[in-house]
Amino acid sequence: TIGKLAHRLKAEAGQKVLLAACDTFRAGAVAQLERWGERADVDCFSPNETTNGPSAVLYGALDKAITEEYDVLLVDTSGRLSNNDALTAELVKMKRVIQKRMSTGFDEKVKPILNLQVPHETLLVIDAAQGRMALDSAKQWDKEIGLSGLILTKLDGSAKGGSVVAVSRELGLPVKLVGVGEGIDDLRDFEPESFVDGLLGIGVAGGGSSKEGKALEARLTQMRKERTQRAKTAPKPSSSPAASPMGSSAGEMTLQGLEDIGSMDMEEDVGEMQMITPGGGAGAGKNKAKNKNKKKKKRKNKK
């Protein structure tokens, strides 16, 4: 990806480009970048006996870029997992090296003041086949070093790169470039419409015709209009306080007002009120009284 970007910067913008081979962890990474530098016809600063660590290589590349007046310095770093603390710390260190080397002033102790305006771009390269891990990694690196954009690669395969949508939405990062092949000219500007067509499998990007994308867009527009029209013409819900939450008639209960109760003839409608005791029924009190009278009579007869 970095070799293709260098080619575009030189061929399209006429800029003098220098590559920094700071991926010292992966075997063969430096040699691979040097070959891409030759293909793009740009210079490459590689590790040597005195500069063999990522930060040391970067510092040497910065010196060369400033001294020889290069327009652009592209720094290639190693691929890594966000939970690799050692490599993440190395990224943070490399960012400070850039800010320190490109300082524009000194403090009271004659130490360079960090230039917070650099690096000008920090681009995260995302494989189209990556899933949830792409979002987790992007969040961690954006927190540690700050990202400015995304590059989506390997879109020429079966993978659609849907993970980049989540990364862009969550972090508010633009997708700037996409890789669509192995050729040196296969790094292109990101086109949202064709990317969405590819995700949905429609249009030219989705393997079909351009008419499919236009037909889908027209159908979606029509559906939105119909939904808006239904919302305007739909009857408004009743605001009556007597309305039942279960519907207009189901579950309704008619309550009699207090004024109606006051006009009732209590004696005619209610009748005689009787005391009900736990003994059972309204006549339980009278039965107990009769039993007591019988007991008194028996006592008198015995006497």
Side-chain angles (χ1 to χ4, degrees), residues 57-191:
V57 174
L58 175 57
Y59 197 90
L62 285 167
D63 280 342
K64 181 179 177 65
I66 294 173
T67 303
E68 301 182 19
E69 297 182 348
Y70 282 85
D71 297 314
V72 180
L73 173 62
L74 297 178
V75 182
D76 180 35
T77 63
S78 62
R80 67 203 70 205
L81 297 176
S82 58
N83 58 2
N84 191 321
D85 296 336
L87 292 181
T88 301
E90 186 67 37
L91 276 181
V92 176
K93 180 180 178 181
M94 293 174 70
K95 181 178 179 179
R96 289 181 62 86
V97 167
I98 297 174
Q99 294 176 336
K100 183 177 180 180
R101 182 61 184 85
M102 299 189 69
S103 173
T104 57
F106 299 89
D107 59 13
E108 297 176 353
K109 297 181 180 180
V110 197
K111 291 183 178 180
I113 301 174
L114 297 181
N115 183 359
L116 301 181
Q117 301 302 316
V118 293
H120 302 100
E121 293 275 4
T122 305
L123 303 175
L124 174 63
V125 180
I126 297 179
D127 191 315
Q130 284 183 300
R132 174 73 188 185
M133 185 178 66
L135 177 58
D136 296 337
S137 299
K139 285 182 176 180
Q140 181 65 25
W141 291 325
D142 186 49
K143 177 183 177 182
E144 295 290 344
I145 61 175
L147 301 175
S148 61
L150 306 171
I151 299 178
L152 184 62
T153 63
K154 300 182 181 178
L155 274 180
D156 53 320
S158 59
K160 302 299 183 181
S163 60
V164 79
V165 177
V167 176
S168 180
R169 182 182 61 221
E170 288 282 336
L171 302 181
L173 297 173
V175 183
K176 298 193 173 186
L177 300 165
V178 293
V180 294
E182 295 295 331
I184 198 168
D185 295 316
D186 289 334
L187 185 66
R188 303 174 184 175
D189 294 337
F190 176 71
E191 297 179 356

